[in-house]
Amino acid sequence: MKLAASMSRLGTESAFEVLARARALEAQGKKIIHLEIGEPDFDTPKYIRDAAVKALQEGWTHYGPSPGLPEFRKVIAEIWKAERGIPCDWENVVVTPGGKPIMFYLMLALLEPGDDVLLPNPAFPIYESVVDFIGARAVYLPLLEANEFDLDLRDFESKLSERTKLVILNTPQNPTGGVLKPETIEGIAALARKHDFMILSDEIYGRVLYEGKHLSIASLPGMADRTVVLDGFSKTYAMTGWRLGFGIMRKDLAVQLGRMQTNAVSCTASFTQRAGMAALTGPQDDALAMVEEFRRRRDVIVAGLNALPGISCLKPHGAFYVFPNITKTGLKSSELERLLMEQAGVACLAGTAFGTYGEGYLRFSYANSLENIKTALQNISDFLAVRAK
Ligand code: PLP
């Protein structure tokens, strides 16, 4: 069998590989605390599960329209218009199985070999994977700790050229937990109007925010037509396994992405969409309580990491990740990732899993219980103490 050459350029998410290694150690009887995977450890709130069961009983078990159920698209449009100030109605919304397909569909629909895509580094690895797969060129926008993991507008402008077709933004960020400042978002919007490029704005952590109000670039004047907002239910409602997400975009593009979906998976599961409708229109107490619990854990893990020798950690403003600087341990990120798993029983990810600018960092997900987080911190402390001897 001879695979297409493009397959050699398709990347992956190493979180799943680290998880597999951790599971192999667990099968040998070793205890591992999982701080590698980016999914809430909570159950999906009961009212949402109940809505899915009801939908199944009512017969929402058939194919639906490719871009999503109109009533669900309407609910999404109304809420994102009211809460985020994005001018949209139901025809601007495309519902997908998870937010991820929006990245894939959009880039397949938009990019050609030779196009440039500006994307943050470190960032969610699938962005670059898909850019490479298509044969476009990834141009890095470094997210530096010295700049609180915000983008540098001057650097941004210097990377623009007539080849720039798409810019990918993510706020709050995976893996740094950083949030783009409003003036940065406004500056990028001004450059988009001037240089005429499209933006994929990944706002999947938009509701996992610890201070301030989330600003969507699509809400700024003239930006709705240039922006595809990616969002979904995985993080806010602890629904990773349901596979439910969506994009908000100009109507002509929504038609094209709907066509992509007809070709790929026909549609998103109908009963899942009904559950998503219930998630958005029902009481938001569970979702808010999860964010409060994440905040408690963030404070514990940040304080704990900063107390460790050779490690320093900024306090993240959103998402459920910390991205500590480990350069003073004298170890490379991938080396420390491996040692922590094998010798401290803590699974985490090397910063380099998210790009070259992640060297010198680790990513811990604090979507785990306070008790496990405290044990992990103790284990890491013991490991570093033994090494120092
Ligand atoms: N975007 C970012 C930055 C993520 O971290 C993730 C998941 O980890 C996704 C998108 C995809 O989420 P889903 O496809 O589960 O909606």
Side-chain angles (χ1 to χ4, degrees):
M1 182 179 70
K2 190 167 179 298
L3 289 175
S6 53
M7 283 306 288
S8 66
R9 303 192 301 267
L10 192 64
T12 187
E13 261 187 88
S14 68
F16 290 100
E17 288 166 8
V18 173
L19 179 65
R21 269 195 282 135
R23 294 270 184 251
L25 286 174
E26 284 170 326
Q28 294 166 20
K30 201 159 164 42
K31 199 171 171 334
I32 304 282
I33 297 175
H34 291 272
L35 302 183
E36 78 281 39
I37 270 289
E39 73 168 336
D41 54 316
F42 307 105
D43 282 336
T44 304
K46 185 169 179 309
Y47 77 97
I48 303 174
R49 285 181 277 143
D50 287 346
V53 171
K54 182 165 174 274
L56 281 169
Q57 302 294 9
E58 285 172 359
W60 293 90
T61 52
H62 297 271
Y63 288 132
S66 286
L69 298 172
E71 59 272 31
F72 184 34
R73 296 166 73 193
K74 193 157 171 270
V75 166
I76 293 169
E78 278 168 3
I79 294 178
W80 263 252
K81 189 173 174 182
E83 283 187 13
R84 296 274 162 81
I86 301 172
C88 62
D89 65 37
W90 70 282
E91 287 172 304
N92 295 102
V93 178
V94 177
V95 178
T96 44
K100 248 181 189 174
I102 293 291
M103 296 172 199
F104 210 71
Y105 296 164
L106 175 69
M107 289 198 252
L108 281 174
L110 215 58
L111 298 178
E112 289 182 280
D115 288 339
D116 275 3
V117 180
L118 270 53
L119 47 85
N121 186 326
F124 191 52
I126 301 305
Y127 305 147
E128 187 169 355
S129 168
V130 179
V131 171
D132 289 347
F133 178 71
I134 291 171
R137 189 170 75 126
V139 178
Y140 301 145
L141 302 169
L143 293 169
L144 303 180
E145 183 186 0
N147 196 21
E148 283 187 87
F149 300 119
D150 196 2
L151 290 169
D152 177 333
L153 277 179
R154 236 181 295 163
D155 171 74
F156 187 108
E157 192 163 11
S158 75
K159 304 276 172 64
L160 293 171
S161 76
E162 66 286 355
R163 289 191 306 274
T164 310
K165 186 82 167 274
L166 179 68
V167 171
I168 302 179
L169 301 178
N170 172 219
T171 187
Q173 290 159 14
N174 177 9
T176 69
V179 168
L180 300 181
K181 292 194 182 71
E183 44 288 17
T184 306
I185 296 175
E186 278 155 15
I188 294 170
L191 289 170
R193 288 183 209 108
K194 186 169 156 202
H195 294 273
D196 197 25
F197 51 80
M198 289 289 290
I199 292 174
L200 169 60
S201 183
D202 183 343
E203 303 179 17
I204 197 115
Y205 298 101
R207 289 187 176 192
V208 188
L209 190 64
Y210 304 112
E211 56 260 344
K213 198 172 175 293
H214 176 77
L215 174 65
S216 174
I217 194 163
S219 68
L220 298 178
M223 289 307 292
D225 269 1
R226 296 182 189 285
T227 308
V228 174
V229 175
L230 179 158
D231 211 323
F233 294 74
S234 289
K235 317 291 175 178
T236 312
Y237 297 101
M239 290 176 71
T240 48
W242 294 65
R243 311 311 301 132
L244 189 62
F246 58 90
I248 302 177
M249 66 206 78
R250 43 192 292 160
K251 291 179 186 176
D252 52 355
L253 191 56
V255 171
Q256 301 304 329
L257 264 64
R259 224 150 57 92
M260 283 275 177
Q261 182 135 282
T262 306
N263 280 266
V265 295
S266 297
C267 63
T268 307
S270 300
F271 66 92
T272 310
Q273 295 187 63
R274 296 291 297 183
M277 251 170 87
L280 290 177
T281 53
Q284 299 302 300
D285 316 17
D286 291 312
L288 292 170
M290 284 190 250
V291 176
E292 281 318 299
E293 180 58 25
F294 284 139
R295 182 200 299 276
R296 268 192 290 280
R297 296 171 184 183
R298 172 196 67 162
D299 292 346
V300 168
I301 198 166
V302 169
L305 287 167
N306 279 317
L308 295 174
I311 297 184
S312 62
C313 185
L314 286 186
K315 197 182 239 191
H317 302 298
F320 35 71
Y321 309 107
V322 275
F323 205 60
N325 184 324
I326 55 113
T327 43
K328 294 208 174 113
T329 62
L331 292 165
K332 291 266 179 215
S333 299
S334 57
E335 225 175 343
L336 189 54
E337 175 203 281
R338 183 179 60 76
L339 289 170
L340 288 183
M341 168 113 78
E342 291 170 3
Q343 296 183 23
V346 177
C348 64
L349 296 180
T352 43
F354 303 92
T356 41
Y357 285 87
E359 183 56 84
Y361 297 85
L362 291 178
R363 189 197 78 171
F364 294 94
S365 157
Y366 48 90
N368 204 324
S369 68
L370 261 183
E371 196 192 337
N372 280 338
I373 289 169
K374 286 179 185 163
T375 309
L377 287 165
Q378 187 58 51
N379 291 359
I380 299 171
S381 172
D382 294 346
F383 161 80
L384 291 172
V386 169
R387 266 188 69 84
K389 281 194 187 139

